[in-house]
């Protein structure tokens, strides 16, 4: 790791720099050297300093959040949480955004807010299962949910998630997570009165804890040894650099006759730098204007114009069936009239966040009217579209509106239309929109808070 860090300034490829810094952060976290790990996380975020925010920014802020939680600095982690999720979502790094939400939700449970942790944790767990069956975060979240259910008295669900976490950790041979899963199983079995089983898990946890302590001791000794060697080499490099500086001064004294040429070269370089900075600012400003032109100012999802153009291109260049979902918030006017437009804006923002969290990578999500939204699903048969629509509908009903003072449940009516490769059905985007709109009004006519399919 240290040799890679020394070579970091000479690397030209940004992805290679990201890999080096991410590896260093992972190693330092395992050594519990959190202050040094935080230094590299900040350095990772700075890789995008001269460009638009990208993968380095997303990963860097995400690492800062995780390290802050590991250090017990919840305030710092929560201050960074929203900006990290927003940055990752804007750059479409949805997996990293999911992991950040998972880390935050685990901390919610660890801080004692078990009901909220369960409510938010179940959808996150399903998303993690779809994206990574072997993720350490999946094991940690299942262990946290087991603890939350145990604390709320639901030992049956606690045992279910505890056993899943234990089995995954054992399969992946992640000793630290297996030890934590064993400990929670001890508490679960004890609460169920199964003392013999609790004792078996306790023996396992004790053996794993001793193993971890031995490993940690060996890691720390090796780390301190290498750190000392690197520091010694660094000191030698400083001495060598000072010698080189002396040689440079001597060479400059010998080349006074070339000072005018050097001055001209310096002026040219300054001009090139100024021109480069100006071009960078122009390009950056152009990118900012373009993003603002494509996003809805309130919800930060695609606006109507951008959604329509993106969906039309998707229909035109499709190579498989595509689906379109239209949904409209039920009785949204009552929310504005009863609780005010700021509360209505809050509802629209939270609906957008909830729905975006369950969509696939590549799906296009936009706001096309006041409380009307649309989702374009490339490569999606009717069955896939129906499943996604139901997940979106459920996500909206799970929004905690009472915390905002809204004394009525939130729901939405959905309409789904699918365009197959068969030319005898829907043939263009306008017909697809009309079909989905008819299905939406069918949902309203049938009682709202449901999904209707155009046939």
């Amino acid at each position: 790791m240290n040799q890679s860090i020394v070579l970091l300034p000479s690397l030209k490829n940004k992805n290679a720099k990201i890999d080096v810094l991410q590896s260093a952060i992972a190693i330092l976290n395992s050594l519990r050297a959190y202050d040094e790990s935080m230094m590299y996380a900040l350095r990772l975020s700075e890789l995008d300093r001269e460009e638009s925010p990208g993968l380095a920014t997303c990963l860097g802020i995400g690492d800062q959040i995780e390290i802050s939680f590991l250090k017990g600095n919840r305030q710092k982690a929560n201050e960074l949480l929203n900006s990290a999720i927003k940055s990752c979502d804007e750059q479409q790094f949805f997996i990293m955004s999911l992991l950040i939400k998972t880390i935050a939700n685990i901390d919610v449970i660890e801080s004692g807010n078990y009901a909220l942790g369960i409510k938010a944790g179940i959808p996150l767990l399903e998303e993690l299962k779809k994206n990574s069956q072997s993720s350490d975060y999946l094991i940690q979240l299942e262990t946290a949910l087991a603890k939350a259910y145990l604390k709320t008295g639901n030992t049956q669900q606690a045992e279910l998630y505890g056993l899943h976490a234990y089995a995954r950790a054992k399969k992946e041979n992640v000793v630290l997570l297996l030890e934590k899963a064993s400990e929670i199983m001890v508490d679960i079995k004890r609460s169920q009165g199964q003392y013999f089983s609790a004792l078996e898990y306790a023996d396992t946890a004790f053996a794993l804890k001793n193993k971890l302590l031995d490993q940690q001791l060996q890691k720390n000794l090796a780390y301190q040894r290498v750190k000392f060697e690197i520091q010694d080499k660094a000191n030698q490099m400083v001495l060598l650099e000072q010698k080189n500086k002396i040689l440079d001064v001597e060479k400059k004294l010998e080349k006074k006759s070339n000072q005018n040429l050097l001055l001209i070269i310096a002026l040219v370089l300054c001009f090139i730098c100024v021109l480069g900075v100006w071009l960078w600012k122009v390009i950056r400003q152009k990118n900012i204007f373009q993003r603002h032109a494509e996003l809805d100012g309130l919800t930060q999802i695609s606006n109507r114009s951008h959604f329509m153009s993106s969906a039309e291109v998707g229909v035109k260049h499709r190579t498989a069936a595509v689906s379109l979902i239209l949904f409209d918030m039920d009785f949204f006017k009552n929310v504005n009239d009863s609780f005010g437009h700021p509360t209505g804006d809050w509802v629209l923002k939270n609906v957008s966040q909830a729905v975006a969290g369950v969509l696939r990578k590549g799906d296009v999500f936009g706001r096309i009217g006041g409380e009307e939204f649309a989702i374009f699903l490339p490569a999606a048969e009717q069955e896939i579209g129906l499943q996604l629509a139901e997940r979106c509908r459920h996500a909206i009903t799970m929004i905690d509106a009472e915390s905002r003072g809204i004394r009525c449940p939130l729901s939405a009516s959905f309409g789904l239309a699918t365009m197959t490769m068969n030319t005898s059905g829907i043939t263009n985007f306008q017909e697809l929109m009309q079909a989905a709109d008819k299905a939406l009004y069918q949902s309203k006519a049938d009682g709202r808070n449901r999904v209707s399919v155009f046939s």
Side-chain angles (χ1 to χ4, degrees):
M1 178 198 76
N2 285 317
Q3 290 176 352
S4 298
I5 293 297
V6 170
L7 295 173
L8 194 61
S10 64
L11 293 177
K12 302 299 182 183
N13 185 285
K14 185 191 288 187
N15 289 332
K17 293 183 178 182
I18 291 174
D19 289 341
V20 169
L21 290 171
Q22 278 290 91
S23 299
I25 292 167
I27 292 172
L28 290 169
N29 283 345
S30 72
L31 296 168
R32 301 179 184 177
Y34 300 130
D35 290 336
E36 292 179 62
S37 181
M38 180 65 80
M39 178 182 69
Y40 289 130
L42 293 169
R43 192 169 174 180
L44 178 58
S45 300
E46 292 176 356
L47 291 180
D48 286 334
R49 182 173 51 189
E50 297 182 358
E51 303 174 12
S52 299
L55 178 59
T57 301
C58 174
L59 291 173
I61 301 178
D63 286 330
Q64 291 172 47
I65 292 172
E66 183 171 17
I67 296 166
S68 297
F69 279 133
L70 289 172
K71 292 176 67 177
N73 191 347
R74 287 194 174 97
Q75 182 179 355
K76 177 66 175 179
N78 288 319
E79 287 174 357
L80 295 171
L81 192 61
N82 290 332
S83 63
I85 294 173
K86 180 180 177 182
S87 175
C88 294
D89 285 344
E90 285 180 351
Q91 301 304 318
Q92 298 185 350
F93 301 127
F94 299 119
I95 298 299
M96 190 61 199
S97 175
L98 176 62
L99 296 182
I100 293 171
K101 294 175 184 176
T102 300
I103 295 169
N105 191 69
I106 291 171
D107 184 72
V108 168
I109 294 174
E110 292 299 326
S111 63
N113 200 338
Y114 304 119
L116 180 60
I118 291 172
K119 181 178 179 181
I122 298 300
L124 287 173
L125 184 63
E126 295 304 315
E127 286 297 306
L128 280 173
K129 287 179 179 179
K130 287 187 295 183
N131 289 284
S132 177
Q133 289 292 330
S134 61
S135 170
D136 288 356
Y137 296 97
L138 180 59
I139 301 172
Q140 293 179 57
L141 181 55
E142 286 180 330
T143 303
L145 287 172
K147 178 179 179 179
Y149 276 116
L150 178 62
K151 294 295 184 180
T152 55
N154 191 339
T155 57
Q156 184 177 1
Q157 285 295 98
E159 182 179 17
L160 176 64
Y161 285 106
L163 288 173
H164 283 170
Y166 183 87
R168 291 184 198 278
K170 188 173 183 180
K171 179 182 178 182
E172 299 295 330
N173 195 27
V174 186
V175 179
L176 177 61
L177 299 183
L178 183 59
E179 186 261 337
K180 290 183 178 180
S182 300
E183 288 183 344
I184 194 66
M185 286 304 300
V186 172
D187 295 336
I188 293 170
K189 291 300 181 182
R190 186 184 295 122
S191 68
Q192 293 175 337
Q194 300 179 25
Y195 299 110
F196 181 76
S197 182
L199 182 59
E200 289 181 335
Y201 280 112
D203 289 341
T204 301
F206 181 75
L208 291 171
K209 188 179 293 291
N210 286 335
K211 183 177 180 180
L212 285 170
L213 288 173
D214 290 341
Q215 289 179 351
Q216 193 67 40
L217 178 61
Q218 292 173 12
K219 285 181 181 179
N220 287 336
L221 288 174
Y223 174 65
Q224 293 301 328
R225 184 179 70 251
V226 174
K227 188 175 180 181
F228 175 79
E229 292 173 355
I230 292 297
Q231 185 62 48
D232 183 56
K233 290 180 181 178
N235 292 337
Q236 294 178 17
M237 290 289 290
V238 170
L239 291 174
L240 182 61
E241 186 177 352
Q242 289 176 347
K243 291 180 180 179
N244 288 335
K245 287 182 178 179
I246 294 173
L247 291 174
D248 287 340
V249 171
E250 292 175 351
K251 288 180 181 179
K252 288 179 181 178
L253 291 174
E254 294 174 358
K255 297 180 180 180
K256 284 186 177 181
S257 60
N258 295 327
Q259 284 183 349
N260 290 335
L261 178 60
L262 291 174
L263 179 60
I264 294 173
I265 293 174
L267 290 174
V268 171
L269 289 174
C270 288
F271 175 76
I272 293 174
C273 289
V274 171
L275 181 61
V277 171
W278 178 79
L279 287 173
W280 168 74
K281 288 184 177 180
V282 169
I283 294 172
R284 183 182 180 189
Q285 193 65 40
K286 178 183 177 182
N287 291 335
I288 292 173
F289 287 152
Q290 184 176 356
R291 285 201 304 274
H292 286 174
E294 294 175 350
L295 295 180
D296 176 64
L298 176 64
T299 61
Q300 294 301 302
I301 61 177
S302 293
N303 57 28
R304 180 185 180 89
S305 175
H306 182 244
F307 174 83
M308 289 296 190
S309 61
S310 298
E312 283 192 86
V313 171
V315 169
K316 183 177 180 181
H317 297 289
R318 73 191 188 283
T319 57
V322 296
S323 294
L324 178 68
I325 299 172
L326 295 181
F327 71 90
D328 191 72
M329 295 302 297
D330 296 331
F331 306 112
F332 184 74
K333 186 176 183 301
N334 293 343
V335 174
N336 279 333
D337 293 344
S338 301
F339 306 105
H341 287 282
T343 299
D345 291 346
W346 179 89
V347 170
L348 295 177
K349 290 178 182 178
N350 279 267
V351 166
S352 300
Q353 293 174 3
V355 171
V358 300
L359 295 180
R360 308 171 304 169
K361 183 177 181 180
D363 294 340
V364 184
F365 181 31
R367 181 185 178 197
I368 59 175
E371 68 271 20
E372 188 172 0
F373 298 82
I375 307 167
F376 177 71
L377 308 173
E381 298 285 350
Q382 186 180 92
E383 183 62 28
I384 295 176
L386 181 58
Q387 291 175 2
L388 278 170
E390 284 291 351
R391 283 164 49 197
C392 294
R393 184 191 65 79
H394 177 71
I396 292 172
T397 62
M398 296 299 292
I399 295 173
D400 183 13
E402 292 186 3
S403 64
R404 186 71 182 187
I406 302 175
R407 295 177 295 278
C408 58
L410 298 179
S411 65
S413 299
F414 287 75
L416 169 68
T418 300
M419 183 177 181
T420 66
M421 298 302 291
N422 189 349
T423 57
S424 61
I426 298 172
T427 59
N428 56 55
F429 176 69
Q430 293 301 324
E431 292 179 2
L432 186 64
M433 281 285 293
Q434 293 170 5
D437 194 54
K438 289 180 180 179
L440 168 60
Y441 278 94
Q442 185 62 47
S443 291
K444 288 183 176 292
D446 291 343
R448 306 177 189 267
N449 191 19
R450 64 190 66 239
V451 179
S452 297
V453 178
F454 177 81
S455 57

